[in-house]
Amino acid sequence: MDRSEIAFFDVETTVPKRGERFAILEFGSILVCPRKLTELRSYTTLVQPADLSLISTLSVRCNGISRNDVVLAPLFSDIADTVYDILHGRIWAGHNILRFDCARIREAFAEIGRQPPEPKGAIDSLALLTQRFGRRAGDMKMATLASYFGLGKQTHRSLDDVRMNLEVLKYCATVLFLESSLPDVLVDKSVSPTETTSLRRHLRASSSSGEDNTLITPFTLPSIGENSVAQPDPFNMNFLRNEMASDNNLPLDTLMEEEENQPSDTVVVSANTSDREGFLSPDAISLSNIRAVLVPFYHGSQLMRLKLLHGDSSPLQLYCSCLKIRFGISGKFLDNSGRRRLNFVVDLNPRLCSILEACDSNAQKVSVDSGSSSDWNTVVSPVKGLVNYPNARIHIPTEISGDAARYAIEVHQRESGGDTQKLIFSNPSAEELETLLKQGSVVDAFLSLEPYDYQQKAGVRLVAKKLVMHS
């Protein structure tokens, strides 16, 4: 069977309270000819959740779908065969699908005990247009892009949103195609004075490096299959965590949180973090040598992420001694594996503040120049009423291995004589970390600095690789 069509799709869901699950309320899709970008056929249906109580007032405000609307609708199990036939073996496309819709489809099939459909490729227009179209249209949400091109208001209903998504892509592709052929002076006049020119710089750089910038390039994404094991799983959200911004399908308390509500870090702790190799003390860092650069997510990827360096190529990693813990372990949010996202807050001395502020400044500039419209969260936070004690949040990373997840952190203890012993080598429990990392404790920290851009919030995170507690 020919599965060459692109399957654009969208799901509308409940807006769960903390601890609740998402429930699909509507599924809509169109199959699109990849050569002409014309609609071949469409399908849409409301879906009755197994638990109607999941449809809250907030959920109705989000998409207008009430309990009365779905009480006679089919269950997901009734439409699973149709959804599977539409999606399986085709290229999937949609706005923010890698962050949201793909996960909801997988969850829905898991709940009825069936294997989910598998794509042969994925096009997430949110990441694609953020990378290629820049910030000229604002926050890159579908409603904002549609307004920019005069396509009307977003209805937050599946089939309408899918068709709007396709039209937005056509408009954006046309603009990019024309701009790639125009002289720089004309491109400057084709956008408003406040709009970024990072796209033009990207096109010039790509042209000089021999990169193909034809219209079809954005749609040539890595296939997902047996012969592409080096490529990321489309359901693994970690590889895109610094690119994804949220659409309107998240809980209200999630949308309102800022730095704490960033994706959990997936970091493998290497064996050589048992000493200071690769980690610089604040006194060994030159502020003028701190650089922020854009690098691919993985080899051959068109999606870019920010990275902080010291000098030309060395990743910027810090060894910070004698950090006093101001607030102990906090972990009120969960990661994709259901584990608590743990972090704690430490006081900062003036030298460390200067380094982190320089990292902020460099990373923010590159982020804005690359087209991001996300609000920037500074890594250094002054404490209200205690202006002499600026602080920063340190995050505990999570290591993913197959379906298992663990806290990837070593914890040692320094005795009064200077000797150290391991308290926890790896995979501590949240309770163990809460016991050790208490307010007022002093700790030496081996830290990586990881820029993020997620849910319209961007900044630099301090991620602990190893901690040494003082007696």
Side-chain angles (χ1 to χ4, degrees):
M1 180 186 298
D2 180 20
R3 312 292 285 181
S4 63
E5 306 98 334
I6 301 173
F8 280 78
F9 73 97
D10 177 76
V11 296
E12 294 297 328
T13 72
T14 56
V15 179
K17 298 176 183 177
R18 188 174 301 165
E20 290 182 347
R21 62 179 178 83
F22 288 92
I24 293 178
L25 298 178
E26 188 174 42
F27 174 86
S29 69
I30 58 174
L31 294 184
V32 173
C33 172
R35 294 182 180 275
K36 299 180 180 179
L37 296 185
T38 54
E39 181 178 329
L40 301 176
R41 61 187 176 95
S42 64
Y43 172 79
T44 187
T45 181
L46 290 168
V47 181
Q48 180 186 162
D51 183 0
L52 287 172
S53 68
L54 294 174
I55 305 177
S56 63
T57 302
L58 179 58
S59 176
V60 176
R61 287 208 306 266
C62 181
N63 50 41
I65 301 175
S66 67
R67 297 183 189 181
N68 290 337
D69 293 326
V70 300
V71 69
L72 299 178
L75 298 169
F76 186 82
S77 58
D78 298 324
I79 66 165
D81 286 340
T82 302
V83 174
Y84 189 94
D85 180 66
I86 290 170
L87 296 179
H88 187 67
R90 289 191 167 98
I91 294 175
W92 295 3
H95 203 68
N96 200 28
I97 59 168
L98 290 176
R99 170 64 179 85
F100 189 82
D101 303 78
C102 291
R104 306 290 83 80
I105 291 294
R106 190 178 192 182
E107 291 166 358
F109 275 89
E111 286 174 5
I112 61 173
R114 290 186 51 173
Q115 290 295 314
E118 297 292 342
K120 67 177 180 181
I123 302 167
D124 192 312
S125 57
L126 175 58
L128 178 65
L129 296 180
T130 298
Q131 177 72 13
R132 294 297 182 113
F133 201 65
R135 64 188 302 214
R136 73 187 80 185
D139 60 15
M140 305 307 290
K141 291 183 179 181
M142 183 55 58
T144 307
L145 289 162
S147 176
Y148 180 82
F149 289 114
L151 297 176
K153 293 185 177 181
Q154 184 183 14
T155 64
H156 293 289
R157 297 301 297 267
S158 292
L159 193 58
D160 288 346
D161 285 3
V162 168
R163 288 191 170 123
M164 179 173 279
N165 189 187
L166 179 59
E167 290 304 305
V168 164
L169 277 172
K170 289 178 180 178
Y171 274 81
C172 289
T174 301
V175 171
L176 295 176
F177 177 76
L178 292 175
E179 284 189 355
S180 68
S181 304
L182 291 174
D184 286 353
V185 64
L186 295 181
V187 174
D188 282 338
K189 293 179 180 178
S190 67
V191 296
S192 70
T194 60
E195 290 165 346
T196 183
T197 58
S198 62
L199 171 69
R200 191 176 67 258
R201 292 195 295 271
H202 168 76
L203 291 171
R204 286 203 301 267
S206 300
S207 175
S208 63
S209 64
E211 180 183 338
D212 181 10
N213 281 308
T214 57
L215 184 61
I216 197 66
T217 299
F219 298 94
T220 308
L221 297 186
S223 60
I224 312 296
E226 294 180 358
N227 297 324
S228 58
V229 293
Q231 305 297 346
D233 178 353
F235 293 120
N236 182 353
M237 304 307 151
N238 291 309
F239 86 100
L240 275 177
R241 68 184 186 272
N242 290 335
E243 289 290 337
M244 293 296 96
S246 171
D247 211 341
N248 292 335
N249 294 318
L250 293 173
L252 183 61
D253 59 353
T254 300
L255 290 169
M256 292 177 65
E257 296 294 334
E258 296 193 357
E259 183 191 358
E260 281 193 3
N261 192 23
Q262 304 305 328
S264 59
D265 306 278
T266 305
V267 178
V268 177
V269 178
S270 59
N272 67 359
T273 59
S274 59
D275 54 32
R276 299 187 192 180
E277 181 181 353
F279 292 81
L280 299 175
S281 67
D283 291 338
I285 292 175
S286 168
L287 298 185
S288 61
N289 282 341
I290 295 175
R291 300 173 57 234
V293 297
L294 289 171
V295 298
F297 272 103
Y298 53 91
H299 180 69
S301 172
Q302 295 179 11
L303 296 174
M304 309 295 283
R305 63 184 177 89
L306 263 174
K307 188 174 183 179
L308 283 164
L309 305 177
H310 188 255
D312 293 333
S313 59
S314 300
L316 180 55
Q317 299 186 110
L318 297 176
Y319 167 71
C320 303
S321 62
C322 300
L323 295 176
K324 183 178 180 180
I325 298 177
R326 173 158 293 276
F327 301 112
I329 286 290
S330 171
K332 60 182 178 179
F333 294 104
L334 302 180
D335 63 18
N336 291 333
S337 302
R339 292 173 67 88
R340 293 166 62 198
R341 299 174 182 169
L342 303 182
N343 59 76
F344 61 99
V345 176
V346 297
D347 290 335
L348 303 175
N349 60 48
R351 175 61 183 171
L352 189 50
C353 274
S354 298
I355 291 170
L356 297 181
E357 287 168 352
C359 292
D360 252 342
S361 177
N362 283 273
Q364 184 178 15
K365 183 180 185 303
V366 174
S367 176
V368 171
D369 287 347
S370 70
S372 174
S373 60
S374 298
D375 294 332
W376 192 266
N377 294 325
T378 58
V379 66
V380 177
S381 301
V383 179
K384 293 181 179 179
L386 294 170
V387 293
N388 294 325
Y389 291 95
N391 63 75
R393 193 180 303 275
I394 295 177
H395 298 264
I396 306 295
T398 300
E399 180 182 63
I400 305 296
S401 177
D403 295 329
R406 64 180 184 178
Y407 297 119
I409 186 73
E410 292 183 27
V411 182
H412 296 234
Q413 180 168 312
R414 185 184 304 280
E415 303 295 341
S416 56
D419 296 331
T420 62
Q421 62 176 338
K422 292 177 182 178
L423 296 179
I424 305 172
F425 178 72
S426 63
N427 197 25
S429 67
E431 291 72 21
E432 287 177 298
L433 293 172
E434 285 175 333
T435 300
L436 292 171
L437 301 173
K438 292 182 177 180
Q439 181 176 354
S441 299
V442 177
V443 63
D444 299 342
F446 294 76
L447 305 173
S448 65
L449 289 88
E450 300 187 359
Y452 64 87
D453 193 337
Y454 181 76
Q455 295 186 10
Q456 292 302 114
K457 302 294 182 183
V460 176
R461 294 160 63 85
L462 297 177
V463 180
K465 296 291 192 73
K466 172 185 167 183
L467 300 172
V468 180
M469 307 298 303
H470 287 227
S471 297

